[in-house]
Amino acid sequence: MIETLSRTVFHPLWDIKDNSNKLNHVKALEKSQWLPAETLKAIQWKKLKDTIEYAHQHSPYYRKLFNTIGLTPDDIKTPEDYLRIPVTTKLDIRNNTDQFISEEYTKESLVLAKTGGSTGVSLNLYFDEACQEQRNAAAIRSDRWAGWNLGHKRAALWGNPPTPTTFKQKVRHHLLDRTIYLDTMALNNDSMGAFVAQWHEEKPKSLFGHAHSIYMFAKYVSANNIKDLRPQAIVATSMMLLDHERVLIESVFECKVTNRYGCEEVGLIGCECEQHNGMHLNTDHLYIEFLDDDNQPVPPGKPGKIILTDFNNKGMPLLRYQVEDIGIPSDRKCNCGRGLPLMEGLQGRVADFLKGPNGSLVAGISLVERTLTDIKGLEQIQLVQPELNRIEINRVKGVDYDENTDPLLLKELNSVFGPHIECIINDVTEIAQENNGKYRFSICKV
């Protein structure tokens, strides 16, 4: 009863109370996803043109940039023309934060958010309320692809989860948010055991959280022979979902995992649908480019730097923002029938790519995945490259670890990097979390 009331009564009433259009945005997005690909592409280009015009008029940073390169919004008539605008980096934002903010807003009127700074550059970001509503709507649409719906109770694995304290927050938590949390900053046998007990009491219908944290929880459930946790939907987000992690999670919970991708700066970027064959890109809200090292578009099937333009955030416009992730664009059409384009998948963050002695890049996440799959005796590994000629391997022993595990691990890394890079194995009991509760399995400091 409460589930139905939450979806049909409390959510609409809360939107009215907050003067919010979130649910209307959800309806519009659920309709637009079925439009033909060419129609969506034309709509996207119109939104891009409007965003460029707005940034030129109201963002001091972009107005100065356009003047410096001798360009006007009217000069941009094709995607090739758009390449003339320089890429915006995290450092650009960090050094010129106030200049990015629209002159139609004050910083005090905007919502402040901070990135975790996992690549060494933390950012202050500002969003207008309408932008937040649109981003939340996109997340709701993608979560419904997984099998979740408004009103469903959710189990979430998240770092520093919100704790309702005021009467209003408690009412919202009970009637709308309907989420039980396992704090990933304190992930241990005791906390996971308590979470299982709470799951039995609350009976959530979906599981949501950091991809690797869900994997660790699935391992706990499997090790303790717990058979009655059966969510209808699982959404993994916030970090790369590795193939072996997906296999275990789906086996333990007997439910498909929906892989979702987004970032603090622009919200949802892509998400798998019920076909689980690539991620649909959120082109309703974003213009997404995949570029090579010369900042030229890569062909479908080739990895490229992901560059984003946000249509929603008028408070702090971002044009051609380099999110520092690597993805693989696709020209396939999904069997689901949605017109939203596909991305084959992610290859990791720029900072997750290790460097060979000749300067070549090695996808660290892919190397970790392959190593964990091919070599028995490895529970987890983390590759850290503090300097060009040295790689440190933080290795957690698996139950089938033996005298051959480490030699095979070193042989694998030497085959990739050559004999001139020193590989050192550190025997650790666990991989340390970042401050935000996430895990990084490949870190390049060069």
Side-chain angles (χ1 to χ4, degrees), residues 136-156:
N136 290 338
I140 289 172
R141 177 179 69 175
S142 68
D143 287 352
R144 292 183 75 172
W145 296 347
W148 173 86
N149 203 354
L150 288 171
H152 284 186
K153 190 167 288 186
R154 176 158 32 199

Side-chain angles (χ1 to χ4, degrees), residues 270-310:
C271 183
E272 292 178 349
C273 69
E274 59 273 9
Q275 296 291 321
H276 301 282
N277 189 19
M279 291 184 176
H280 286 286
L281 295 173
N282 182 23
T283 53
D284 288 293
H285 292 165
L286 302 169
Y287 186 79
I288 304 169
E289 304 170 76
F290 298 85
L291 305 182
D292 62 19
D293 290 339
D294 296 322
N295 285 336
Q296 295 300 307
V298 299
K302 298 294 184 181
K305 299 178 294 185
I306 299 176
I307 309 297
L308 305 165
T309 298
D310 184 0

Side-chain angles (χ1 to χ4, degrees), residues 63-333:
R63 185 163 56 242
K64 179 180 179 181
L65 179 63
F66 273 72
N67 291 337
T68 299
I69 63 178
L71 199 65
T72 70
D74 290 338
D75 294 327
I76 300 171
K77 297 181 173 61
T78 67
E80 290 71 27
D81 294 333
Y82 195 45
L83 294 172
R84 297 169 63 186
I85 299 176
V87 167
T88 297
T89 67
K90 292 180 185 288
L91 196 58
D92 291 331
I93 297 174
R94 188 181 186 189
N95 291 339
N96 304 277
T97 303
D98 290 352
Q99 294 299 302
F100 278 90
I101 294 175
S102 167
E103 294 167 334
E104 290 194 322
Y105 296 83
T106 63
K107 286 171 67 173
E108 293 71 27
S109 68
L110 299 172
V111 178
L112 170 64
K114 295 176 180 287
T115 64
S118 60
T119 59
V121 181
S122 59
L123 301 177
N124 287 343
L125 304 160
Y126 295 86
F127 311 105
D128 59 84
E129 291 186 5
C131 169
Q132 296 291 84
E133 292 176 9
Q134 291 167 322
R135 291 183 179 182
N136 290 338
I140 289 172
R141 177 179 69 175
S142 68
D143 287 352
R144 292 183 75 172
W145 296 347
W148 173 86
N149 203 354
L150 288 171
H152 284 186
K153 190 167 288 186
R154 176 158 32 199
L157 279 67
W158 209 251
N160 301 311
T163 302
T165 53
T166 67
F167 176 75
K168 178 181 176 181
Q169 289 172 342
K170 290 178 180 179
V171 170
R172 181 184 179 97
H173 172 78
H174 181 65
L175 300 181
L176 274 77
D177 298 334
R178 296 176 52 74
T179 302
I180 61 172
Y181 286 100
L182 172 57
D183 189 349
T184 58
M185 301 303 295
L187 212 57
N188 53 54
N189 287 343
D190 290 340
S191 65
M192 287 189 282
F195 189 62
V196 169
Q198 189 179 13
W199 187 307
H200 286 150
E201 181 179 350
E202 299 284 352
K203 296 178 173 56
K205 287 189 174 181
S206 67
L207 178 59
F208 173 90
H210 298 159
H212 187 71
S213 296
I214 295 177
Y215 168 71
M216 293 180 67
F217 180 58
K219 284 181 56 183
Y220 172 87
V221 171
S222 177
N224 288 274
N225 200 32
I226 301 169
K227 301 291 188 181
D228 57 352
L229 304 189
R230 293 293 179 263
Q232 297 177 7
I234 301 176
V235 177
T237 187
S238 191
M239 53 192 300
M240 283 192 65
L241 175 67
L242 303 183
D243 288 343
H244 76 282
E245 294 179 338
R246 184 196 290 268
V247 169
L248 178 70
I249 294 168
E250 293 182 347
S251 172
V252 168
F253 295 111
E254 296 183 0
C255 180
K256 287 287 188 180
V257 177
T258 295
N259 196 12
R260 198 175 88 176
Y261 167 52
C263 67
E264 191 73 49
E265 295 92 315
V266 303
L268 178 74
I269 300 170
C271 183
E272 292 178 349
C273 69
E274 59 273 9
Q275 296 291 321
H276 301 282
N277 189 19
M279 291 184 176
H280 286 286
L281 295 173
N282 182 23
T283 53
D284 288 293
H285 292 165
L286 302 169
Y287 186 79
I288 304 169
E289 304 170 76
F290 298 85
L291 305 182
D292 62 19
D293 290 339
D294 296 322
N295 285 336
Q296 295 300 307
V298 299
K302 298 294 184 181
K305 299 178 294 185
I306 299 176
I307 309 297
L308 305 165
T309 298
D310 184 0
F311 301 152
N312 292 334
N313 191 8
K314 298 295 189 291
M316 188 177 182
L318 289 180
L319 304 181
R320 306 201 73 216
Y321 170 67
Q322 182 175 345
V323 71
E324 297 191 348
D325 289 339
I326 304 293
I328 304 172
S330 175
D331 57 0
R332 292 188 299 107
K333 294 186 183 298

